[in-house]
Amino acid sequence: MDLDGRPIKPLTICMIGAGGFIGSHLCEKLMADTPHKVLALDVYNDKIKHLLEPDSLPWAGRIQFHRINIKQDSRLEGLIKMADLTINLAAICTPADYNTRPLDTIYSNFIDALPVVKYCSENSKRLIHFSTCEVYGKTIGSFLPKDSPLRKDPAYYVLKEDTSPCIFGSIEKQRWSYACAKQLIERLIYAEGAENGLEFTIVRPFNWIGPRMDFIPGIDGPSEGVPRVLACFSNNLLRREPLKLVDGGQSQRTFVYIKDAIEAVLLMIENPDRANGHIFNVGNPNNEVTVRQLAEIMTQVYTKVSGEPALEVPTIDVSSKQFYGEGYDDSDKRIPDMTIINKQLGWNPKTSLWDLLDSTLTYQHRTYADAVKKSMAKPTAS
């Protein structure tokens, strides 16, 4: 039954980006707990292979993988037509890329998303589009004097879907290429809804955390590259290196457990009358910390998980220019207001920061240990 007591009809869902972190967890949930069918679209399927093989799995036949790059594949519209609902998760969403690969970032998050919106609108198909909390940009409070008491007033920093402005840095700060592209596709989707009747829901994730997130360089991802902050810290911990705090780690963030967040998405999928036309923050304001505090907690959790003592010098400070390159900028706080999602869907996150870090670091420690064992077991050339 949905939230209004009506039977939920089995759906066919076209999921673009199904092979990524969020997609893999959403596919797991849909296979395990619902009768829905998934057309899983992605370039890679490593994170959902356990759902595709063998044929004896209880959900065999309800998930089909289609290896597609949506930038250049004529099959996309046909797959959207086959589905009742399209979920678009595809994006470049790694901060290190925003100012070093701004063109790729803009194309991936705006240009490549245009056909998806167009096909959904023209074929009267419902769309759930994943955006980002970065569309809010900088808080109003960040422009106040540092000693202003208003900086502590939630009205100046808590981010609300329907009232908060979206404030970005100057054009030369190319770090905002991602947020700007995401905001523009949101505006396009909203306009399609207003002018052409597109049924849509927009999701703004606030740092979803859990197993399979991002990548550990050289282990489950490329040897080069800089993942997001939590995966960066995980990589440092696994390799027994000091955690790098960009500009002192003073930015404040909130973190939500992936399994809590997936529950919210399932409510959106199965309650269209309550979700259509809405933008939803999905985060956990109770798990608010500075990046420096996050590093300290992660060090404590990893010591528990691994049994290894912490380093004598657990953190080092680096500048944003040194870490990310020219053109980097950042927001001071990202604290979500949860009023709309709580009112419409009755959703609240449950998992504490310590528990979600424990789950994530346990998985990453095991993955890293397995990869090291495999590399040691490889025969060497004589």
Side-chain angles (χ1 to χ4, degrees), residues 175-307:
R175 185 255 191 277
W176 298 109
S177 59
Y178 172 69
C180 192
K182 281 291 195 181
Q183 187 199 137
L184 188 54
I185 199 69
E186 278 197 29
R187 293 190 181 277
L188 181 84
I189 291 168
Y190 198 90
E192 282 285 355
E195 292 192 25
N196 297 323
L198 173 66
E199 293 187 355
F200 72 87
T201 302
I202 292 170
V203 185
R204 291 178 179 167
F206 280 72
N207 297 303
W208 296 11
I209 303 301
R212 301 195 294 271
M213 67 167 293
D214 279 8
F215 63 92
I216 303 300
I219 300 299
D220 59 352
S223 297
E224 301 298 324
V226 182
R228 283 169 290 189
V229 61
L230 196 136
C232 279
F233 286 173
S234 298
N235 186 44
N236 296 143
L237 290 166
L238 290 165
R239 300 178 191 277
R240 307 247 343 128
E241 300 168 350
L243 280 61
K244 295 177 180 178
L245 299 177
V246 176
D247 295 337
Q250 296 307 304
S251 296
Q252 290 175 266
R253 297 292 183 265
T254 62
F255 298 88
V256 64
Y257 190 41
I258 183 64
K259 293 189 184 300
D260 290 350
I262 292 300
E263 293 287 349
V265 179
L266 187 60
L267 287 167
M268 297 175 206
I269 291 170
E270 297 187 334
N271 294 273
D273 289 348
R274 289 172 174 251
N276 282 343
H278 284 285
I279 300 171
F280 292 117
N281 288 341
V282 181
N284 189 341
N286 296 319
N287 288 341
E288 177 194 352
V289 286
T290 65
V291 173
R292 180 176 288 277
Q293 289 170 331
L294 175 68
E296 293 167 354
I297 297 170
M298 286 185 69
T299 300
Q300 294 171 25
V301 173
Y302 187 72
T303 298
K304 166 188 169 289
V305 166
S306 67

